[in-house]
Amino acid sequence: MKTSAGIALVAAALTSATLAVPVAPASAAGPAGAAGAASLAWAACGPAGLHQECATLSVPLDYADPDGRQVSLAVSRVVSADPAARRGTLLVVPGGPGSSGVQQLSSKGARLKGQLGEAYDLVAFDPRGVGGSSKAGCGLAEEDRHIATLRAWPTADGAIGENVARSRRVAEACARNGGPELRGLTTANEVRDMDRLREVLGEDRISAWGTSYGTYVTAQYAQKFPRRTDRVVLDSSADPNPGFVARGWLRDMAAAADIRFPDFAAWAAHPDRAADGLRLADRAEDVRPLFLDLAARLDRAPKPTTTPGVPLTGNLLRQALQMALYSDSQFPSLARLIEQARTDGETPVLPGGLAGPMPDADAAVTVGVICNDVRWPASVPAYERAVAADRVAHPLTAGMPANITPCSFWKGGPVEKPTRITDAGPSNILMIQGLRDPSTPHFAGLKMRAALGDRARLVSVDHGGHGMYLGNGNACGDRTVTRFLLTGERPAADVTCR
């Protein structure tokens, strides 16, 4: 899709330049916007003081049959209190697949208001299958709904037989029990749902802030409906190659963990950690071998935890690492788990999300979207070879990112052909990407940047973690995104925030 030369040119363009190029503003919605919004039955919700409202939007289960069966989406908004200052609607697009936009607006709304004032109505929705929206289900057994089993971690010796069996079992259960609701879980439908929400709100154009998987959804929206976009922020993007999609995103996590781990190692070896009993080593370079040795010992002899029936295995520790690398704020819980695991007489306490199975509906949307979007290879020997090579190259992730998933046995294949992201469309996109992101690594974000061409500018942030704007970023990155959303000004060339 993109040549290495093109990606290299993008990388070479990263400078500290701050010249601004304006993006034409959209007019604020007038009476049509008010009437459209009024057609939804809004009611107060969310945290006190935010003045958040929630409603339910009906959309077609299948857009090929728009007057047929409908499904419901939970939607939410925080309305601008100053009509004179209001310039439009900013849609908050969550990650995942499987994250809640309504919850993200609840948690980020106050900070967004602090940055943007009354310039926007802030709007979000729960995608199909998520939160308060219509659900799908696969009827999966409890043991198949743990995050460390939905993530295909090989056994201690690198074998993937158990992963193959589970992947077949999950795919068969989803085919048997999922029905049209499960087949409706696609990126393309989320994009159509976004536009239906825009229409109901009465907006000619909308701005959007997409994070993680939400960047792919938002980029797809900008590709399909380019003239309906105002100002677009893509926060922590992955490679949009339509031949891979989520399979490529998963694969890239192996190298991403290697890039991010030194941040944790430096933190865990800092003398300040000693006061809390969380200093794992005297030198940062000793933390990685310590972690790998502990994971190998837990592979051989799992340690009982405070959660009955869920011992701490090597793979569960590796999964805890993946989760903790998303934010520096999670480093203490990971260090504490490592200390408990390697100390005789201590019983490890599993972090939230690892202690039990996820609900069936959450598991269904987690696998449904990525399997419905694109075809995955089905050759078990090819996965065995890929896992063996990946375990050698990236021992922190032990072959999981290269492993087989239920998508390899998915019944019916992709629902429709993925859309290729191109440089055709208005130049109104600002990307922000961390240099040490454990999930959507910077090198993958460069591929999104190359695909968009002159439609985008990229702000690279010298920081670790996943999700930069108002999250793991820094003042420079936050300031650049806020200025763009308020004024339309972007850097004249790609920049780096040190």
Side-chain angles (χ1 to χ4, degrees):
M1 181 172 94
K2 300 170 282 291
T3 66
S4 58
I7 295 170
L9 286 173
V10 172
L14 299 178
T15 69
S16 59
T18 57
L19 296 176
V21 178
V23 173
S27 58
S39 67
L40 295 172
W42 297 101
C45 65
L50 184 57
H51 305 296
Q52 188 174 356
E53 299 174 303
C54 292
T56 300
L57 172 68
S58 292
V59 297
L61 174 62
D62 181 356
Y63 277 89
D65 182 18
D67 297 322
R69 184 177 170 187
Q70 305 289 296
V71 294
S72 62
L73 302 180
V75 299
S76 185
R77 68 178 183 178
V78 178
V79 176
S80 168
D82 185 353
R86 180 186 181 276
R87 65 169 311 278
T89 291
L90 176 67
L91 187 60
V92 177
V93 186
S99 295
S100 164
V102 173
Q103 290 183 5
Q104 186 170 344
L105 181 56
S106 296
S107 63
K108 295 284 190 179
R111 294 198 67 188
L112 277 170
K113 294 289 283 187
Q115 292 286 312
L116 303 176
E118 304 302 326
Y120 291 95
D121 291 346
L122 306 177
V123 176
F125 70 99
D126 286 348
R128 300 175 187 218
V130 177
S133 295
S134 293
K135 298 290 199 302
C138 287
L140 300 182
E142 182 175 302
E143 61 267 23
D144 293 335
R145 290 188 274 112
H146 290 262
I147 189 170
T149 53
L150 278 175
R151 288 277 179 91
W153 292 95
T155 56
D157 61 357
I160 68 169
E162 292 180 11
N163 306 130
V164 173
R166 177 173 289 109
S167 293
R168 288 186 187 275
R169 186 165 65 242
V170 169
E172 290 169 358
C174 289
R176 186 169 57 250
N177 303 316
E181 293 84 3
L182 183 70
R183 291 293 278 172
L185 301 179
T186 68
T187 298
N189 272 341
E190 185 169 344
V191 167
R192 296 180 183 109
D193 291 345
M194 284 175 61
D195 202 56
R196 177 58 61 91
L197 179 57
R198 174 203 62 79
E199 185 179 31
V200 169
L201 293 172
E203 296 282 17
D204 292 331
R205 290 192 282 166
I206 54 171
S207 296
W209 167 36
T211 305
S212 190
Y213 165 69
T215 64
Y216 181 65
V217 175
T218 304
Q220 290 278 339
Y221 184 88
Q223 190 69 37
K224 188 174 180 63
F225 303 110
R227 302 301 168 186
R228 297 175 188 172
T229 60
D230 179 12
R231 296 169 184 170
V232 176
V233 176
L234 304 183
D235 184 345
S236 306
S237 301
D239 182 356
N241 187 327
F244 294 97
V245 192
R247 183 162 64 95
W249 307 340
L250 185 62
R251 178 196 58 204
D252 287 343
M253 290 176 65
D258 291 337
I259 294 168
R260 170 64 162 152
F261 189 86
D263 289 342
F264 171 69
W267 181 93
H270 196 280
D272 288 353
R273 305 287 87 78
D276 298 322
L278 299 181
R279 192 180 189 194
L280 301 181
D282 292 336
R283 303 183 306 164
E285 56 265 35
D286 294 332
V287 176
R288 179 183 170 101
L290 180 154
F291 178 87
L292 293 174
D293 177 70
L294 177 60
R297 287 194 283 123
L298 291 169
D299 282 335
R300 296 188 296 270
K303 190 171 185 179
T305 69
T306 57
T307 303
V310 185
L312 180 60
T313 63
N315 283 338
L316 207 57
L317 182 68
R318 296 180 185 101
Q319 182 61 55
L321 170 66
Q322 294 303 301
M323 296 165 64
L325 294 180
Y326 273 54
S327 172
D328 291 7
S329 65
Q330 299 302 311
F331 287 177
S333 65
L334 176 61
R336 190 169 295 110
L337 180 65
I338 292 172
E339 275 297 298
Q340 292 168 347
R342 68 176 186 159
T343 303
D344 291 339
E346 288 280 344
T347 302
V349 179
L350 296 177
L354 291 181
M358 64 178 68
D360 184 65
D362 292 354
V365 74
T366 298
V367 297
V369 175
I370 65 173
C371 298
N372 285 331
D373 269 4
V374 68
R375 189 175 304 280
W376 292 51
S379 169
V380 172
Y383 283 107
E384 289 173 335
R385 292 190 295 271
V387 165
D390 210 54
R391 286 169 61 85
V392 173
H394 307 289
L396 286 173
T397 48
M400 179 274 292
N403 206 353
I404 201 164
T405 73
C407 302
S408 294
F409 307 108
W410 203 246
K411 309 301 181 183
V415 172
E416 55 190 294
K417 187 177 180 179
T419 298
R420 182 179 294 274
I421 303 299
T422 74
D423 60 358
S427 183
N428 63 351
I429 299 172
L430 181 67
M431 296 177 60
I432 184 167
Q433 195 89 14
L435 292 180
R436 299 181 302 283
D437 188 317
S439 181
T440 55
H442 190 265
F443 64 79
L446 291 179
K447 295 178 181 178
M448 175 71 87
R449 174 67 182 89
L452 290 167
D454 196 50
R455 298 179 69 186
R457 301 290 184 271
L458 172 65
V459 180
S460 299
V461 180
D462 187 8
H463 204 288
H466 184 55
M468 290 293 109
Y469 183 52
L470 307 183
N472 288 296
N474 60 13
C476 166
D478 289 351
R479 184 169 58 246
T480 304
V481 173
T482 296
R483 182 170 62 240
F484 168 64
L485 289 173
L486 289 177
T487 70
E489 295 181 353
R490 299 179 306 178
D494 296 345
V495 303
T496 298
C497 286
R498 298 294 180 187

